[in-house]
């Protein structure tokens, strides 16, 4: 349960049972009481097979296995999984956390099949905001240089469209910023943080401990992304970081920490 398998991908279906006897595997895309279709029949000793995911997108997919020898048993997956459409296009950059200065030239990148056409759009007022076209061309270019407009915002997004015999789209995973400064020289630390609940020591030498209620990004003072972190507790090995000030941002909260080698 919980898997998200893309149409056309090859996924391993696994089970446990005695080696003797026969096994049959079925799947349903309309619930655990829906119509089940056979996808494998063989010996119990095989224990798995590679399944090419069919073009039947659904969020309510289930797999059922039957084993038969001197008796007959069955089992159902514990929860539903999803079959999702083939993505075709993936926005690579920007993909969340970047800080791009007005007037600078930045590379927008994507992956997709070489055939067809691509259109790239950006929004400065959220992922559900107004998207403006910034590129249109052949899919095989895979990137272009974008001169960043004077449209300052911390809630910018890029969306890519790929079209050939069908039509697909992808959105950057998280927001990026268009700013009038290169980095965080003027950034101030948030006095009371709810997302960054633990951050020590500072100054630090080789390791930094963080506890996050939400995800965060660590930047250099010049705006370079050092790493992205999920929520939870982290012990970060910073032994290879250069000495200096680093910025931790989680939502609207900011912490400054200092690396000093001894």
């Amino acid at each position: 349960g919980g898997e998200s398998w893309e149409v056309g991908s090859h996924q391993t279906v696994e089970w446990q049972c005695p080696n003797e006897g026969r096994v049959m595997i079925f799947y349903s895309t309309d619930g655990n009481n829906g119509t089940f279709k056979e996808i494998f029949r063989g010996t119990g000793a095989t224990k798995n097979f590679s399944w090419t995911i069919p073009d039947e997108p659904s969020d309510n997919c289930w797999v059922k296995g039957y084993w038969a020898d001197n008796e007959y048993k069955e089992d159902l997956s514990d929860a539903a999984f999803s079959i999702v459409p083939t993505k075709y296009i993936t926005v690579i950059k920007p993909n969340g956390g970047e800080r791009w200065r007005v007037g600078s030239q930045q590379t927008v990148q994507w992956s997709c099949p070489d055939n067809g056409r691509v259109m790239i759009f950006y929004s400065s007022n959220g992922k559900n905001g107004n998207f403006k076209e910034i590129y249109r061309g052949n899919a095989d270019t895979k990137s272009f240089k974008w001169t960043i407009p004077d449209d300052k915002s911390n809630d910018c997004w890029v969306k890519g469209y790929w079209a050939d015999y069908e039509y697909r789209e992808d959105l950057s995973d998280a927001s990026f910023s268009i700013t009038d400064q290169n980095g965080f020289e003027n950034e101030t630390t948030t006095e009371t943080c709810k997302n960054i609940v633990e951050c020590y020591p500072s100054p630090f030498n080789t390791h930094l401990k963080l506890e996050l209620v939400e995800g965060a990004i660590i930047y250099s003072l010049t705006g370079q992304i050092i790493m992205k972190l999920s929520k939870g507790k982290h012990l970060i090995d910073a032994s290879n970081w250069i000495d200096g000030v680093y910025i931790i941002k989680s939502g609207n909260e900011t912490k400054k920490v200092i690396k000093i080698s001894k």
Side-chain angles (χ1 to χ4, degrees):
E3 297 88 351
S4 182
W5 287 353
E6 193 172 287
V7 170
S9 65
H10 300 286
Q11 303 292 342
T12 300
V13 178
E14 298 179 273
W15 61 90
Q16 294 179 343
C17 68
N19 288 336
E20 65 273 8
R22 303 285 292 174
V23 164
M24 294 177 290
I25 305 294
F26 297 77
Y27 82 100
S28 163
T29 58
D30 58 349
N32 55 0
N33 294 312
T35 301
F36 280 83
K37 307 170 189 177
E38 184 177 324
I39 53 175
F40 175 82
R41 184 183 293 243
T43 66
T46 52
K47 299 294 189 292
N48 65 72
F49 82 102
S50 181
W51 180 31
T52 301
I53 305 303
D55 192 0
E56 298 180 60
S58 168
D59 292 327
N60 198 15
C61 302
W62 296 76
V63 161
K64 184 182 288 186
Y66 294 88
W67 174 83
D69 189 28
N70 59 318
E71 56 184 327
Y72 185 80
K73 301 291 185 182
E74 68 178 73
D75 186 48
L76 185 69
S77 48
D78 290 342
F81 67 97
S82 299
I83 294 177
V84 297
T86 304
K87 204 167 187 181
Y88 287 102
I89 183 168
T90 301
V91 174
I92 297 173
K93 186 179 179 183
N95 206 32
E98 295 86 355
R99 290 173 62 88
W100 286 354
R101 182 174 52 82
V102 171
S104 66
Q105 279 208 326
Q106 304 290 342
T107 300
V108 177
Q109 293 177 286
W110 63 89
S111 64
C112 68
D114 287 341
N115 51 298
R117 303 279 289 172
V118 161
M119 294 175 289
I120 306 294
F121 296 77
Y122 91 99
S123 163
S124 60
N125 59 342
K127 59 183 175 181
N128 295 315
N130 179 37
F131 280 83
K132 307 168 188 176
E133 184 176 324
I134 54 176
Y135 176 82
R136 182 185 294 244
N138 293 329
D140 60 359
T141 52
K142 299 294 191 295
S143 68
F144 81 101
K145 289 288 188 181
W146 181 31
T147 301
I148 305 304
D150 190 359
D151 196 4
K152 294 184 284 293
S153 169
N154 291 320
D155 197 14
C156 301
W157 298 75
V158 159
K159 184 182 289 186
Y161 294 88
W162 173 86
D164 188 29
Y165 58 92
E166 53 188 317
Y167 185 80
R168 301 293 190 197
E169 67 179 74
D170 186 47
L171 184 70
S172 47
D173 289 347
S175 64
F176 67 99
S177 299
I178 293 177
T179 177
D180 57 2
Q181 59 184 18
N182 286 323
F184 293 93
E185 291 84 356
N186 300 320
E187 197 80 10
T188 58
T189 292
T190 305
E191 290 296 328
T192 302
C193 289
K194 296 181 179 180
N195 292 341
I196 309 170
V197 296
E198 187 175 88
C199 176
Y200 70 90
S202 183
F204 65 94
N205 179 13
T206 59
H207 289 82
L208 179 66
K209 292 182 179 180
L210 288 174
E211 184 176 352
L212 305 168
V213 175
E214 301 292 340
I217 300 175
I218 301 179
Y219 297 89
S220 70
L221 196 60
T222 59
Q224 177 189 358
I225 296 175
I226 303 300
M227 63 171 52
K228 297 181 180 182
L229 300 168
S230 60
K231 65 180 181 181
K233 294 183 178 181
H234 301 270
L235 177 61
I236 299 168
D237 183 357
S239 55
N240 292 327
W241 297 9
I242 63 173
D243 288 3
V245 177
Y246 291 86
I247 306 296
I248 304 167
K249 291 192 71 69
S250 179
N252 293 323
E253 298 178 4
T254 300
K255 283 280 190 182
K256 284 186 177 182
V257 292
I258 301 172
K259 162 74 184 291
I260 300 177
S261 299
K262 293 182 179 179

